[in-house]
Amino acid sequence: MRKIIHIDMDAFYASVEQRDNPQLKGLPVVVGAPEGRGVVLTASYEARKFGVRSAMPGREAKRLCPQAVFVPPRFPAYKEASRIVREIFHRFTDLVEPLSLDEAYLDVTEDKMKIGSALEIAKEIKRLIREETQLTASAGVSVNKFVAKVASGMQKPDGITFIHPSKVEAFMETLAVRDFFGVGKKTAERMNELGFFTGADLKKLSREELVSHFGKSGHFYYKIVRGIDDRPVESERETKSVSVENTFSEDVLDVSALQEELTQLAENLLRRVEKYQLYGRTVTVKVKYHDFKQVTRSKTLPKKVREKEILLQTAFELLQLTEAGQKKIRLLGIGLSGFEEEEDHRKKNGQLELF
Ligand code: TTP
Ligand code: MG
């Protein structure tokens, strides 16, 4: 039996703004612009009372809550808070999987401090986060990622929710499908239309029925409604590469169409790289031809790749080293690896701070 914690900072960007500008404390704060085409990145809990939500147009937020204080985002401040929080996690375990700047899974089945109780560890982490960043986080504690993640959202803000191993299956039965993490709004609506409202409803279906209704995800639903989620917590250090790929609906010969696709893929890749803060020096292009033969071409650059132009230029060069244009292609992928230097850099930073 594993011990998994999911931690998620409360109203993260807005809380950092309230911390750094005490005049904002207790006020409805919206991170984002009130006009133009901008969207709300997040809102303080005071602003949420008025219905303001992430991803909503700024103008709508302004209409719902005219007295809200709008502030532009300050990403360096959020990254710094995130770095401190991650450093706290690593005092307890190296099995830390960040999902974004403000949330992570931790596997504390074996914890470095020999505390033993996952609930106690989560309490201690929350206390340290508050002490060292003046921010609050919510935690979910259970036996797998799925339940821990759902649990962390149940008593926000500043909450802690423990789902005891013996209660996991019952927890999944009563959970509404719209609260299933990973089930989008559309799928949840479809489930409701079919008469499935809770985990217990889904549990009545066979694996085959779930797959016929929901495709591949059916396999996951089959297990999760029984409280089973074996996905490991994958730590950053184990991440050897970040990649994205796409299979064309029809095989492609035209090089400019391939370049167009690479451009799209490069944008998606950089979004991921940014999200996980994993900058690598090695660019890889993967090509699968119409006959399913596959080749990869790689190039290691002198510096970590951060800019789209450099990534694309390298990817185009690598594409030329394949049979693109001569042989039809069914799949195109692009990846980044070689993060070691960045890790060293992090270690060095850590040492500098110690002295
Ligand atoms: P979340 O954890 O989803 O939200 P939150 O931390 O603001 O609030 P909660 O207490 O409900 O966890 O996202 C973390 C940060 O990511 C959030 O502060 C801002 C950013 N973000 C966006 O920029 N756009 C989005 O659509 C969402 C959902 C978040
Ligand atoms: Mg959050």
Side-chain angles (χ1 to χ4, degrees):
M1 190 83 77
R2 292 179 299 159
K3 299 174 188 170
I4 309 294
I5 301 175
H6 178 259
I7 304 255
D8 188 312
M9 304 294 292
D10 302 318
F12 185 46
Y13 296 180
S15 303
V16 172
E17 296 306 328
Q18 287 178 319
R19 176 195 69 183
D20 294 348
N21 180 359
Q23 286 176 337
L24 297 177
K25 288 216 169 96
L27 297 183
V29 172
V30 174
V31 179
E35 61 267 311
R37 302 198 304 131
V39 295
V40 171
L41 301 185
T42 194
S44 68
Y45 278 78
E46 294 86 351
R48 292 185 197 192
K49 285 191 202 131
F50 296 86
V52 180
R53 296 284 178 272
S54 289
M56 158 184 290
R59 259 179 287 128
E60 194 184 342
K62 176 91 186 154
R63 189 179 57 76
L64 289 168
C65 184
Q67 69 272 46
V69 184
F70 285 78
V71 293
R74 290 183 302 130
F75 293 106
Y78 313 146
K79 283 188 183 160
E80 176 58 9
S82 178
R83 190 189 63 75
I84 297 171
V85 170
R86 275 185 207 174
E87 192 271 311
I88 293 172
F89 296 157
H90 279 279
R91 292 179 209 166
F92 297 86
T93 176
D94 281 324
L95 281 176
V96 176
E97 179 180 337
L99 295 178
S100 67
L101 282 183
D102 98 317
E103 63 179 303
Y105 291 113
L106 284 69
D107 184 327
V108 294
T109 312
E110 290 184 29
D111 70 289
K112 291 182 186 173
M113 311 274 248
K114 307 278 176 225
I115 296 173
S117 154
L119 184 58
E120 287 309 314
I121 294 169
K123 282 185 191 161
E124 183 62 6
I125 288 175
K126 275 167 54 65
R127 190 185 69 75
L128 289 166
I129 290 176
R130 184 192 285 276
E131 192 174 286
E132 296 179 30
T133 69
Q134 292 81 53
L135 298 168
T136 63
S138 295
V141 183
S142 196
V143 296
N144 63 43
K145 282 182 169 183
F146 188 96
V147 177
K149 165 102 183 171
V150 174
S152 74
M154 295 183 78
Q155 299 189 64
K156 265 185 166 291
D158 201 14
I160 187 161
T161 306
F162 173 52
I163 309 295
H164 191 273
S166 66
K167 298 284 192 318
V168 165
E169 211 167 341
F171 175 82
M172 285 309 303
E173 284 178 359
T174 51
L175 190 65
V177 295
R178 63 162 187 277
D179 294 332
F180 273 40
F181 170 63
V183 170
K185 219 173 168 182
K186 285 217 181 93
T187 309
E189 274 165 19
R190 263 202 58 222
M191 287 179 172
N192 291 350
E193 278 162 23
L194 292 164
F196 312 133
F197 294 92
T198 63
D201 295 332
L202 290 180
K203 206 173 178 176
K204 292 187 196 121
L205 302 181
S206 68
R207 188 188 275 267
E208 291 67 34
E209 286 170 318
L210 281 167
V211 172
S212 79
H213 283 308
F214 309 113
K216 268 194 227 153
S217 311
H219 294 288
F220 183 71
Y221 301 149
Y222 183 80
K223 289 176 94 173
I224 203 62
V225 293
R226 287 164 179 77
I228 301 165
D229 174 10
D230 314 315
R231 290 171 303 161
V233 172
E234 296 184 76
S235 67
E236 307 124 279
R237 283 192 194 130
E238 280 165 19
T239 311
K240 296 273 189 288
S241 68
V242 186
S243 64
V244 291
E245 58 181 48
N246 185 36
T247 304
F248 296 107
S249 48
E250 273 176 54
D251 300 343
V252 176
L253 192 62
D254 180 33
V255 174
S256 62
L258 293 169
Q259 290 184 335
E260 209 169 287
E261 179 60 28
L262 269 184
T263 310
Q264 276 287 304
L265 288 171
E267 280 167 14
N268 293 346
L269 181 70
L270 282 177
R271 229 171 283 140
R272 284 209 183 185
V273 160
E274 175 75 15
K275 184 168 164 191
Y276 295 105
Q277 296 287 302
L278 279 172
Y279 296 94
R281 293 166 53 211
T282 304
V283 181
T284 300
V285 166
K286 169 168 138 185
V287 165
K288 199 186 266 177
Y289 300 109
H290 63 91
D291 57 4
F292 286 86
K293 283 210 181 96
Q294 185 177 307
V295 293
T296 57
R297 296 285 179 263
S298 300
K299 181 174 179 180
T300 299
L301 300 171
K303 269 181 25 190
K304 282 167 280 175
V305 179
R306 291 168 188 275
E307 302 82 12
K308 185 176 148 196
E309 290 68 34
I310 293 173
L311 178 61
L312 260 190
Q313 193 193 324
T314 313
F316 288 175
E317 273 174 40
L318 292 169
L319 186 68
Q320 284 182 358
L321 303 177
T322 71
E323 290 176 82
Q326 297 146 44
K327 222 171 149 179
K328 281 190 183 172
I329 289 178
R330 69 175 267 119
L331 175 149
L332 201 54
I334 177 170
L336 261 186
S337 55
F339 307 124
E340 299 79 16
E341 199 203 48
E342 180 80 336
E343 270 179 22
D344 286 344
H345 183 67
R346 273 190 232 156
K347 275 183 213 137
K348 260 182 245 146
N349 277 349
Q351 275 165 13
L352 280 178
E353 274 158 14
L354 276 178
F355 300 103

